[in-house]
Amino acid sequence: MTEKLLMRALSGETLAVPPIWMMRQAGRYLPEYRATRAKAGDFLSLCYNPELAAEVTLQPIRRYGFDAAILFADILLVPQALGADLWFETGEGPRLSKITEAADMARLKPADAIHDHLAPVYETVKILAAELPRETTLIGFAGAPWTVATYMIAGRGTPDQAPAHALKDTQPEVFNALMDLITDATIAYLLAQVAAGAEVIKLFDSWAGSLKGADFDAYALAPAKKIIAALKAARPDLPVIAFPREAKNRYVGFGKATGADCVALDNSVDAIWAAKNVQVDGCVQGNLAPGHMVTGGQNLIDETKRIVDTFRNGPHIFNLGHGITPDADPANVELMVKTARS
Ligand code: CP3
């Protein structure tokens, strides 16, 4: 049997101490991350520098001994590999060239043309597979098609994903062609990560919560199902974590319907409800509010214990409900890990 705790939880085992990792665990709250990013020049240069990307992936493992390392990259590298312009405005976030009509779609490359551009990412995975401690699981990832499409259509992050909803409703053929292209590119990208040594895949659907009813089925559930089926056709034993963030009641049955081995819960989800309605079907991940990494103290201890206790009767991976923020205190992360493991 594998000694990797994260793999054991993903195979459905209930463990006395949950495996732990953190979304955005390699990030700006760590001084060593900021130093390595400065050495690379900027965020995107860091993503495409295999030695330095591997270095920042390893930094939180050395500091905290997390049970998993997540590849350092970004969900927006796929649009860039498809031919979109991508840059980051300091203090604001990502900017991309926009998809607003069929002519914009026609300028994108086919899904199987992404690999030259993404080769440095596969190289990062190879370095990590060789360098990680034997008890640490390597997680590869991609954005889910809807979330990636929201950025490609608006050219930036949006509070309500209105431009993507508008394209879906007014030019469905353009929208569906984009969703299909992202889906196929994501399958190719993730298979290449697995071939390079990723042991688990996580699919981030950060904006799934803005899809309602039949739209949720068509654009969150169906693409996840297609991607997971394609991954498992190539690697039947590959565990997949799905994160349909803010899916609310649609978390129920999401694992079964998509074939995901684990469903990641955001911090708006009540743990007692999720243990009863989601964890019954298999492993769940989550869901401490990231704000506790800023505020710390007794609240952090109490909330960490509450979440570990509530999910203790089934398979559980301890994590935050979303990414750790740049203003977090590294000492609070230490306290969270110590509390969850005690
Ligand atoms: O440590 C890890 O979790 C692995 C690396 C990782 C990053 N982004 C690095 C990153 C992962 C898994 C992501 C996923 C990602 N990227 C998502 C899905 C998860 C989520 O947070 O909802 C999304 C929506 C993106 C797109 C993205 N990348 C945005 C909107 C931003 C700007 C906002 C921000 O946090 O700065 C980024 C930048 C980004 N991606 C940073 C990091 C470490 C910060 C860049 C910097 O160093 O300045």
Side-chain angles (χ1 to χ4, degrees):
M1 181 184 278
T2 174
E3 61 199 298
K4 300 192 182 204
L5 281 186
L6 196 100
M7 299 300 270
R8 288 171 60 185
L10 286 169
S11 73
E13 200 177 327
T14 302
L15 298 161
V17 175
I20 307 173
W21 69 281
M22 237 179 21
M23 282 187 262
R24 291 282 172 97
Q25 63 191 22
R28 289 160 292 185
Y29 73 105
L30 288 179
E32 60 268 37
Y33 168 83
R34 297 194 298 268
T36 310
R37 189 186 60 182
K39 212 198 250 180
D42 56 35
F43 171 65
L44 279 177
S45 307
L46 180 54
C47 290
Y48 291 114
N49 182 322
E51 293 293 338
L52 296 183
E55 166 59 22
V56 294
T57 305
L58 292 166
Q59 285 167 350
I61 309 304
R62 290 190 202 115
R63 217 187 233 262
Y64 303 113
F66 286 124
D67 295 283
I70 182 159
L71 162 70
F72 189 84
D74 196 84
I75 66 164
L76 300 177
L77 304 188
V78 168
Q80 196 181 29
L82 287 169
D85 296 328
L86 171 68
W87 67 102
F88 281 80
E89 294 284 350
T90 315
E92 287 190 43
R95 296 290 183 273
L96 300 90
S97 45
K98 294 181 202 174
I99 305 290
T100 58
E101 56 184 11
D104 301 322
M105 272 303 297
R107 279 190 284 273
L108 296 178
K109 295 176 194 166
D112 58 8
I114 60 172
H115 295 303
D116 280 350
H117 184 89
L118 295 168
V121 178
Y122 310 147
E123 190 54 37
T124 307
V125 175
K126 278 189 198 153
I127 296 171
L128 289 167
E131 290 193 4
L132 275 170
R134 50 188 298 168
E135 68 276 11
T136 314
T137 301
L138 178 56
I139 304 176
F141 74 92
W146 164 250
T147 287
V148 173
T150 65
Y151 288 96
M152 292 183 78
I153 294 164
R156 58 184 298 162
T158 46
D160 52 5
Q161 297 76 58
H165 283 284
L167 191 74
K168 162 172 69 63
D169 296 337
T170 61
Q171 299 184 73
E173 45 324 300
V174 177
F175 175 78
N176 283 308
L178 178 61
M179 288 290 287
D180 289 345
L181 177 64
I182 299 169
T183 301
D184 291 344
T186 301
I187 292 168
Y189 180 46
L190 292 176
L191 284 174
Q193 290 184 27
V194 172
E199 300 172 279
V200 170
I201 290 299
K202 181 166 176 187
L203 206 50
F204 286 90
D205 211 349
S206 303
W207 300 116
S210 80
L211 293 167
K212 307 294 176 202
D215 276 354
F216 185 90
D217 292 319
Y219 304 122
L221 201 150
K225 183 178 176 181
K226 185 174 177 189
I227 291 165
I228 293 168
L231 296 177
K232 297 218 178 214
R235 295 287 186 114
D237 296 333
L238 177 76
V240 178
I241 304 171
F243 183 35
R245 192 170 73 91
E246 295 193 352
K248 301 191 173 67
N249 62 317
R250 300 304 309 269
Y251 270 117
V252 179
F254 194 81
K256 272 192 177 164
T258 58
D261 302 86
C262 176
V263 178
L265 306 167
D266 65 79
N267 46 279
S268 75
V269 177
D270 177 68
I272 294 173
W273 175 86
K276 205 156 88 187
N277 293 289
V278 187
Q279 199 184 26
V280 280
D281 292 336
C283 188
V284 293
Q285 176 179 285
N287 68 341
L288 183 68
H292 290 292
M293 299 299 109
V294 181
T295 53
Q298 194 59 42
N299 281 338
L300 161 59
I301 295 172
D302 292 347
E303 280 295 281
T304 300
K305 283 185 176 164
R306 179 183 65 80
I307 289 165
V308 171
D309 278 348
T310 308
F311 290 121
R312 77 172 341 129
N313 296 317
H316 175 221
I317 298 167
F318 190 89
N319 203 310
L320 306 181
H322 202 191
I324 187 168
T325 51
D327 53 345
D329 181 345
N332 290 333
V333 179
E334 184 88 57
L335 180 61
M336 178 271 282
V337 171
K338 205 179 101 201
T339 306
R341 284 187 174 150
S342 67

